[in-house]
Amino acid sequence: MAQALALAWHGAGQTSPNPPVGAVIVHQGKVVGTGYHQRAGGPHAEVVALRQAGRRARGATLYVTLEPCCHLDKRTPPCVPFIIASGIKRVVAATRDPNPQVRGRGLAALRRAKLQVKVGVEAAQAERLIEPYRRLITTGQPFVTLKVAATLDGKIATAKGESRWITSPSAREMAHLLRARSDAILVGIGTVLADDPSLTVRTGSPRGRAPLRVVLDPSLSIPLAAKLLTDGQAPTLIVTTTSGSPAKRATLEKKGAHVVVLPARHRRVAWRGLLKELGRRGIASLLIEGGAEVNASALRERVVDRVLFFLAPKILGGRDAISAVGGESPQNLSEALPLKMTSVRLVGPDILVEGRPR
């Protein structure tokens, strides 16, 4: 199952709105077939592995990270009949599919066909793998990760805005892997004006599709020469409000950007409406790489599911240096956002702290 999970991660960020899935077929102690779901509309992991195994699948065991599908309301045929016809004797699934159209039906169909079925091997790892898929399929909204690169005292830039590079090449490489595993990357207009980022994936697994680049721009202040509009490296979605000029919107759309007008909250794009819109577009995983104010608003609105803080062994200091989270300070310490810490580890010389808002 560990091998199947490792294979499945290759598809993370590529398969939405489908889940990433890996499969391994073992016959008489030997691996005879492997596969993972590479893209939505492509063959599922079980099918890839079974085709590779061929006749050697008869009497073998199929290890798969997610319950095989059995429904017809999709672009590819269901996997359960193919598994049964292959002669597989035993199926070991890491976890059940949360999709209401499956949710135990695939496993039940396999049992009715007299296959041996076991569920729950490496379940925790499999659940982590499909977390974005589960969120999308059950709520219609993406799983949201907030990533911050800061000094040890929580500063993301100097007073004049210099931020490159706070963290090490090792941390930046991991950040690009996070991008590669995300369906969309979000920044605010302040980051675009200050840094003119490209928000592309430069390291990590090769991608069949680039993550969607999302810019929160309530007044449509984005320069027409911005890399996000001119480099042609990935699709860009500009999210604005009724404050944005219709003429500027038309100009941006002529340049190839997608522009959507959403409700405002405190003169900012309302997060809940944004997440519903992204879910409607099949975005299962959203990576926020915003500045202090975007970070603050996302945390304040309680839309963040996971925080990742890369902390460099540096102390910047200064009252006017830019902190990782802006906004107004709460009056009382009891109003601080509590986190459940899930891991702390070194990435090169930097510390990566991961937590989940409670």
Side-chain angles (χ1 to χ4, degrees), residues 93 113 194 217 220 258 333:
D217 189 1
L220 287 185
H258 303 279
L333 190 58

Side-chain angles (χ1 to χ4, degrees), residues 109-125:
L110 293 171
R111 289 189 175 106
R112 286 196 299 271
K114 308 302 181 185
L115 276 70
Q116 299 172 29
V117 176
K118 184 175 182 179
V119 187
V121 177
E122 299 287 356
Q125 294 299 319

Side-chain angles (χ1 to χ4, degrees), residues 15-221:
T15 62
S16 294
N18 296 344
V21 180
V24 174
I25 298 172
V26 178
H27 186 265
Q28 295 182 350
K30 182 180 179 180
V31 174
V32 295
T34 62
Y36 70 95
H37 188 37
Q38 297 186 25
R39 60 178 178 82
H44 288 191
E46 303 96 313
V47 173
V48 175
L50 286 168
R51 286 174 178 169
Q52 187 181 113
R55 294 180 180 178
R56 295 173 295 177
R58 188 161 298 278
T61 296
L62 167 66
Y63 294 87
V64 62
T65 59
L66 186 67
E67 173 185 3
C69 61
C70 58
H71 60 295
L72 300 172
D73 186 20
K74 54 192 181 68
R75 286 180 283 181
T76 53
C79 293
V80 166
F82 197 54
I83 293 170
I84 295 170
S86 72
I88 285 285
K89 181 180 180 180
R90 181 170 176 256
V91 175
V92 180
T95 192
R96 289 178 172 82
D97 192 332
N99 187 335
Q101 294 180 296
V102 185
R103 206 157 52 192
R105 293 182 177 89
L107 299 173
L110 293 171
R111 289 189 175 106
R112 286 196 299 271
K114 308 302 181 185
L115 276 70
Q116 299 172 29
V117 176
K118 184 175 182 179
V119 187
V121 177
E122 299 287 356
Q125 294 299 319
E127 283 295 325
R128 177 171 169 264
L129 172 69
I130 66 164
E131 214 165 12
Y133 167 71
R134 178 181 290 278
R135 175 60 55 83
L136 182 63
I137 205 72
T138 57
T139 71
Q141 298 181 19
F143 181 88
V144 180
T145 297
L146 173 65
K147 181 197 73 85
V148 171
T151 58
L152 200 58
D153 55 336
K155 306 299 184 181
I156 60 173
T158 65
K160 66 178 183 179
E162 182 184 355
S163 61
R164 295 183 179 178
W165 296 103
I166 287 177
T167 53
S168 67
S170 297
R172 297 200 296 274
E173 183 177 354
M174 179 168 286
H176 278 278
L177 180 58
L178 287 169
R179 287 184 179 182
R181 290 177 172 176
S182 301
D183 293 330
I185 307 166
L186 180 145
V187 296
I189 184 59
T191 296
V192 176
L193 295 175
D195 299 335
D196 192 20
S198 60
L199 302 182
T200 53
V201 178
R202 295 190 291 273
T203 60
S205 303
R207 297 183 56 91
R209 66 174 185 181
L212 176 69
R213 304 181 292 193
V214 182
V215 181
L216 301 185
D217 189 1
S219 301
L220 287 185
S221 305

